[in-house]
Amino acid sequence: MQIEPFRLERWLAEVEVDADVMLAESGVRPLSADRFDTDPGELGYVIPTAGDSTFRAKIGDHHGRSADETLFTCGTQEANFLALLALADTHVVVVTPTYGSFTGLAESLCDVTRVPLEEPDWELDPDAVASALRPDTDLVVVVNPNNPTGRHHGEETMCAVYERCADNGTYLLCDEVYRLLSPDPIAPVSSFGRYGISTGGVSKSFGLAGLRFGWLCASRGVLAAAENWKDYTTIAPPKFGQHVAEQAFDRRAELLAENREHVADNRAAVEASLDAHGLAWSAPDCGVNALVEVPPGFAGGYSFCRSLVTEESVVLAPGEAFDRPEWFRIGFGLHREELEEGLSRIEAFLARHG
């Protein structure tokens, strides 16, 4: 099995340790551990290895599934990994731009067709997805809200995509790790029917990335296949992560309201800064990411981002990591003072190169 390097992660590994300001982060600023009970008792394996059954029932119910149709994982990344290993055999359709693990992993397993979102509004066209389907298509993959654009596909659109997949006997996997940042979240794809699969976790919307805790909600057949693969990866979810994640989920109304307000304020600051310099962006309506057009005078995203980190010690994500070299991704979920410092440095950089 051959797999391409994960371009975003390799870029971050190269530059983020020594940089002053991290504006490529794709989640909400982390919450302090002292807001939770951090003593899970003995640090043994989680038993059963699928995760605590009571907590799985809560997550499953939230996603239109049962505890037996819910699997706890080490972050949303592992949930997506297991779903692809369980289902990707012949052909997968991936809606792009997207998080790089979907294209990289899928292309290491089978044939892949990419369906681009329609610019300039980055809309998802269900008919474009339908046109990409083949009789042997195993899976369609969508990230909603989208990473890297921050655009949110509405429930009518997602239902239309699901119907086209179900008519073809194809599963629809939706990474919903940003879903709960919406003030009015749409129904999870896993609740649409047999062919719906939802993945999520507490990293992005909750600001608890360090817990490494996620979930996969799907039919029992898919869950069984994913759980079989999990026996060869992490075996069980983290005991500490599960302990704190359940508290966060039980307090989600409070925590998410706080995070939504924080993100909205930060988004407004980014929009004002970009408008002042005439830079186009993807106008995110959910999540904490946006694509921003590379200014004139640079060869592409890598050129712009490398110059910025060299001169101003600010990290952005080059658009080449999302197959959009004319853009870069900015994250605005971080602490406000860090965001303001980063924007100030970007403005100084643009003034010198404008």
Side-chain angles (χ1 to χ4, degrees):
M1 175 179 169
Q2 298 293 320
I3 192 165
E4 291 293 317
F6 199 140
R7 287 180 288 180
L8 176 61
E9 293 303 324
R10 292 303 91 212
W11 163 255
L12 296 179
E14 176 187 347
V15 299
E16 69 177 326
V17 173
D18 296 323
D20 293 340
V21 184
M22 176 63 167
L23 286 182
E25 175 55 53
S26 60
V28 177
R29 51 88 185 93
L31 297 179
S32 174
D34 63 12
R35 299 182 66 171
F36 304 94
D37 168 21
T38 55
D39 182 6
E42 292 185 351
L43 292 176
Y45 281 109
V46 168
I47 304 296
T49 56
D52 177 78
S53 57
T54 301
F55 188 18
R56 279 191 291 122
K58 294 179 186 178
I59 295 292
D61 183 66
H62 184 76
H63 290 80
R65 296 286 182 176
S66 66
D68 291 339
E69 296 170 309
T70 303
L71 177 66
F72 287 161
T73 59
C74 293
T76 309
Q77 175 82 304
E78 188 188 25
N80 293 328
F81 184 78
L82 296 174
L84 280 162
L85 287 176
L87 293 170
D89 180 55
T90 305
H91 179 238
V92 170
V93 174
V94 180
V95 174
T96 63
T98 192
Y99 187 57
S101 66
F102 285 118
T103 50
L105 182 58
E107 287 172 350
S108 74
L109 297 170
C110 61
D111 290 341
V112 173
T113 300
R114 302 184 185 208
V115 174
L117 298 177
E118 294 186 338
E119 298 182 44
D121 295 325
W122 305 95
E123 294 180 346
L124 175 58
D125 180 1
D127 290 333
V129 174
S131 295
L133 294 174
R134 305 186 332 204
D136 59 356
T137 301
D138 306 298
L139 185 66
V140 170
V141 179
V142 180
V143 178
N144 189 38
N146 180 256
N147 177 11
T149 68
R151 299 299 295 173
H152 193 202
H153 312 309
E155 189 160 344
E156 182 178 350
T157 296
M158 292 306 302
C159 285
V161 173
Y162 175 80
E163 288 169 3
R164 286 156 175 79
C165 289
D167 288 345
N168 198 60
T170 296
Y171 287 96
L172 173 60
L173 166 62
C174 190
D175 180 327
E176 298 169 349
V177 73
Y178 296 101
R179 186 179 70 89
L180 293 179
L181 277 180
S182 169
D184 186 23
I186 70 169
V189 162
S190 57
S191 69
F192 290 179
R194 170 188 171 187
Y195 291 99
I197 303 170
S198 293
T199 59
V202 297
S203 58
K204 307 301 184 182
S205 299
F206 284 85
L208 295 169
L211 295 183
R212 307 314 306 138
F213 189 83
W215 50 77
L216 169 63
C217 297
S219 66
R220 292 186 183 182
V222 173
L223 254 290
E227 196 166 11
N228 185 54
W229 277 107
K230 196 174 191 303
D231 291 341
Y232 288 92
T233 56
T234 59
I235 301 177
K239 184 75 170 283
F240 180 82
Q242 179 179 264
H243 177 68
V244 177
E246 184 169 13
Q247 297 171 59
F249 188 76
D250 288 344
R251 293 167 52 192
R252 62 188 179 279
E254 164 205 346
L255 298 177
L256 292 169
E258 175 186 325
N259 288 348
R260 289 166 187 153
E261 182 179 3
H262 172 77
V263 168
D265 289 345
N266 280 6
R267 182 198 183 281
V270 173
E271 184 173 25
S273 178
L274 296 177
D275 283 348
H277 291 275
L279 294 179
W281 73 330
S282 57
D285 48 13
C286 195
V288 292
N289 301 295
L291 284 183
V292 181
E293 214 163 23
V294 174
F298 295 90
Y302 270 124
S303 171
F304 178 82
C305 293
R306 188 168 295 283
S307 297
L308 179 68
V309 76
T310 299
E311 296 184 27
E312 294 289 349
S313 199
V314 175
V315 178
L316 294 167
E320 286 87 344
F322 308 97
D323 296 322
R324 296 298 190 279
E326 67 276 23
W327 302 82
F328 62 86
R329 189 187 75 181
I330 187 170
F332 49 87
L334 68 170
H335 292 286
R336 183 53 178 262
E337 58 272 19
E338 295 178 70
L339 177 66
E340 290 176 347
E341 177 65 21
L343 292 176
S344 175
R345 295 189 188 199
I346 292 173
E347 289 168 1
F349 177 82
L350 292 172
R352 289 197 302 273
H353 292 271

